[in-house]
Amino acid sequence: MNENQNVDPLDTNVDDIDLSYPIIPAGIHEFKITKAEKKQNGAKTGDNLVITLVATSPKQDTKGATVQNFTLTNNISLVETEKYFRVDIGKKIAQVAQAAEVRGVKASEIIANPTMLVGRVVQVKTAISQERTDPNSGRIYEPRSEVHSFVVKK
């Protein structure tokens, strides 16, 4: 048992506080879509479909701690590039819609009204990213949990 378990977090020395975000083991986990919105991307070259997912049950992170309301965000770029086409955008949106059992709609309708995904429960295959450095800014990104794919029920 952790001896600091009953200590008020605000009475803990700031040097002793773990600043890392919890990482859950890679696998298939159940999440609820709590938010879905179209937002301008960071480069201001277009929009992303941003989906916020909250685990439906407590998760144990890779350090052994129990995490309530574990949250992931999944961004689907809505901007075509030389290697990322409209068909790719449609497939990514269709995967989310099918996993959420939202049927009979077009990808363009989901883009126009992404809130139709909110409240849906989905199975998500998660992965743990590798540490990486942004080649433009030099910023180092620590490993983290991320959405690998949405599991579509057949």
Side-chain angles (χ1 to χ4, degrees):
M1 185 152 146
N2 184 346
E3 64 186 53
N4 293 326
Q5 194 169 14
N6 296 323
V7 174
D8 182 336
L10 299 181
D11 288 334
T12 302
N13 185 316
V14 294
D15 296 333
D16 297 332
I17 297 176
D18 182 359
L19 299 178
S20 64
Y21 191 77
I23 297 173
I24 61 172
I28 296 176
H29 302 275
E30 185 178 87
F31 285 85
K32 183 175 186 176
I33 299 173
T34 59
K35 191 174 185 183
E37 61 185 334
K38 188 168 78 168
K39 290 177 72 172
Q40 186 175 56
N41 63 24
K44 299 187 181 357
T45 57
D47 293 322
N48 288 336
L49 180 61
V50 182
I51 300 167
T52 303
L53 305 146
V54 176
T56 58
S57 62
K59 297 293 173 195
Q60 187 170 31
D61 72 10
T62 55
K63 294 178 182 177
T66 300
V67 182
Q68 301 289 336
N69 301 315
F70 183 81
T71 303
L72 287 175
T73 301
N74 186 57
N75 293 306
I76 298 173
S77 175
L78 303 176
V79 179
E80 283 186 273
T81 67
E82 290 179 15
K83 297 180 182 178
Y84 181 70
F85 305 105
R86 288 176 71 82
V87 68
D88 301 313
I89 296 168
K91 284 180 180 180
K92 286 182 178 276
I93 294 170
Q95 186 184 58
V96 176
Q98 289 178 25
E101 297 184 350
V102 172
R103 306 283 182 180
V105 297
K106 299 173 186 166
S108 61
E109 292 172 313
I110 293 173
I111 293 168
N113 181 22
T115 58
M116 70 175 68
L117 300 171
V118 174
R120 301 295 184 136
V121 174
V122 292
Q123 298 293 318
V124 176
K125 183 177 182 183
T126 63
I128 300 173
S129 68
Q130 300 297 313
E131 181 180 290
R132 60 192 183 277
T133 303
D134 183 310
N136 298 321
S137 68
R139 179 177 172 190
I140 297 173
Y141 292 91
E142 298 292 326
R144 62 185 178 105
S145 293
E146 60 187 13
V147 173
H148 179 270
S149 61
F150 289 82
V151 179
V152 176
K153 298 172 189 161
K154 294 291 178 182

